[in-house]
Amino acid sequence: MSELQFKRHRRLRTTESMRSLVRETHLNKEDLIFPIFVVEGENIKNEVSSMPGVYQVSLDQLTAEMQELEDLGIRSVILFGVPHEKDEKGTQAYCETGIVQKAIRQVKQDVPSLTVVADTCLCQYTDHGHCGVVRDGEIVNDESLELLVETAVSQAKAGADIIAPSNMMDGFVAAIRRGLDEAGFVNTPVMSYAVKYASSFYGPFRDAAHSSPQFGDRRAYQMDPANRLEAIREAQSDVEEGADFLIVKPALAYLDIMREMKDRYPLPIVAYNVSGEYSMIKAAAQNGWVNEREIVLEKLTSMKRAGADLIITYFAKDVARYLSE
């Protein structure tokens, strides 16, 4: 009888040292961007009920949060403002003394080593909760772009290192890039939410940012979860308009799209590990159904393997601690 022929793949799995030696994908602290929700008021650190371990913080609590991140080795944050006052045009989004502008200035002054990403949208600031100007029940595109440019420029003036527009209006990268350039911010990069689906995974975020739509939904401007080619069209437009990074949001249910982005575009790809993905794991872990540490590391590694260079994640502090162990 002839000798049985087969490949011995297990040779490279025999020990932890061997597995580490041939590991293809690595998760690093430098990959992580931590989201922060900044609220008006004093002495506020409110845990978001649907996101255990995530807090809304006031400005007097913000520096301590940033110093903790620096101590953990996390180098980047993305700031979301939660204002007291809202109106139909979201004027607090582009106000010089707006909550997120104050937060940006404070972080850059107190913890200058951190890279500050400013989320550029109107939904937290409008009384209707949509990401643009509303006319007769419709979110109008071009008028919204004007306000988004104002918002981006105000954030850059406050000191934001990166502008991250998340609104999904057509032409938003082109408009913001031109606005930044004309205002003298030619070296401020745009991290575009290029591929942002109308997802059911966003629910807990809307609790944290107080940004739920007061009528209808966002399906008229965010993408249909069933569509792949649409994601390519959206990303291609943003690349042509001058985007410096491409975000895929959500991450976990769209790893195929992330790989498409990585294979097609020579730009840094950013995974947004969104609130629903976070809360599901937290809930399961609190019930003893999963090993939180192991499942979080596996999940974020899958995003890196799928093509993400960076990951926006509420697990950033936890992961930084895991990686230090």
Side-chain angles (χ1 to χ4, degrees), residues 70 75 107-108 111-115:
E70 184 180 44
R75 298 181 178 180
V107 174
K108 294 309 296 181
V111 194
S113 63
L114 291 180
T115 296

Side-chain angles (χ1 to χ4, degrees), residues 6-302:
F6 56 88
K7 303 289 187 182
R8 294 193 178 274
H9 301 291
R10 291 178 57 190
R11 289 170 181 157
L12 301 185
R13 304 176 197 149
T14 52
T15 65
E16 176 55 34
S17 177
M18 180 69 76
R19 292 190 293 272
S20 178
L21 181 68
V22 299
R23 186 162 293 135
E24 301 172 30
T25 305
H26 297 274
L27 183 64
N28 303 300
K29 294 180 184 180
E30 293 82 2
D31 304 332
L32 307 174
I33 302 173
F34 186 61
I36 297 281
F37 299 98
V38 188
V39 298
E40 296 183 282
E42 295 181 354
N43 198 31
I44 297 172
K45 188 173 182 180
N46 293 333
E47 188 171 34
V48 180
S49 61
S50 56
M51 300 177 71
V54 172
Y55 296 86
Q56 298 171 326
V57 298
S58 52
L59 291 172
D60 58 338
Q61 304 291 313
L62 179 60
T63 297
E65 284 283 313
M66 298 301 98
Q67 289 171 337
E68 181 186 8
L69 295 176
E70 184 180 44
D71 292 343
L72 286 169
I74 297 167
R75 298 181 178 180
S76 304
V77 296
I78 183 167
L79 297 179
F80 298 91
V82 185
H84 274 327
E85 298 180 9
K86 303 188 179 196
D87 58 41
E88 65 178 4
K89 288 195 172 182
T91 53
Q92 287 298 306
Y94 41 90
C95 176
E96 183 179 343
T97 56
I99 183 62
V100 83
Q101 286 79 5
K102 290 179 181 178
I104 293 166
R105 285 191 289 268
Q106 181 172 318
V107 174
K108 294 309 296 181
Q109 176 180 316
D110 294 350
V111 194
S113 63
L114 291 180
T115 296
V116 175
V117 184
D119 179 80
T120 306
C121 198
L122 301 178
C123 59
Q124 300 105 284
Y125 304 92
T126 55
D127 53 14
H128 47 71
H130 280 285
C131 303
V133 177
V134 175
R135 291 275 180 264
D136 299 322
E138 178 185 353
I139 293 80
V140 293
N141 196 90
D142 296 9
E143 191 175 345
S144 299
L145 292 180
E146 296 174 12
L147 300 184
L148 291 163
V149 171
E150 283 192 60
T151 302
V153 171
S154 76
Q155 293 168 337
K157 287 180 177 177
D161 298 294
I162 299 172
I163 299 300
S166 58
N167 53 88
M168 289 302 286
M169 297 296 113
D170 290 337
F172 70 89
V173 173
I176 288 172
R177 181 72 272 160
R178 183 177 67 180
L180 290 172
D181 291 350
E182 290 177 349
F185 297 101
V186 295
N187 291 321
T188 300
V190 174
M191 180 183 284
S192 170
Y193 285 70
V195 179
K196 183 176 180 180
Y197 285 93
S199 173
S200 297
F201 283 99
Y202 301 152
F205 173 93
R206 292 170 184 170
D207 291 341
H210 299 169
S211 61
S212 296
Q214 298 305 299
F215 69 90
D217 54 40
R218 296 181 177 143
R219 296 174 190 270
Y221 45 102
Q222 295 179 1
M223 292 170 46
D224 185 338
N227 291 354
R228 167 182 161 271
L229 295 178
E230 184 181 12
I232 296 169
R233 294 195 298 270
E234 288 280 0
Q236 183 66 39
S237 292
D238 288 4
V239 171
E240 292 170 359
E241 292 172 17
D244 300 284
F245 303 76
L246 301 176
I247 297 177
V248 177
K249 180 182 180 182
L252 190 60
Y254 299 90
L255 296 180
D256 57 324
I257 303 300
M258 207 172 300
R259 173 46 59 187
E260 290 269 9
M261 298 298 109
K262 187 64 174 177
D263 289 346
R264 288 174 179 269
Y265 303 113
L267 295 178
I269 304 301
V270 185
Y272 198 137
N273 175 208
V274 299
S275 59
E277 299 167 359
Y278 173 88
S279 296
M280 288 192 300
I281 290 178
K282 283 292 185 181
Q286 287 179 350
N287 279 282
W289 298 335
V290 297
N291 180 311
E292 181 175 342
R293 179 186 185 280
E294 292 183 3
I295 203 169
V296 168
L297 291 174
E298 181 177 343
K299 182 175 74 166
L300 268 60
T301 299
S302 78

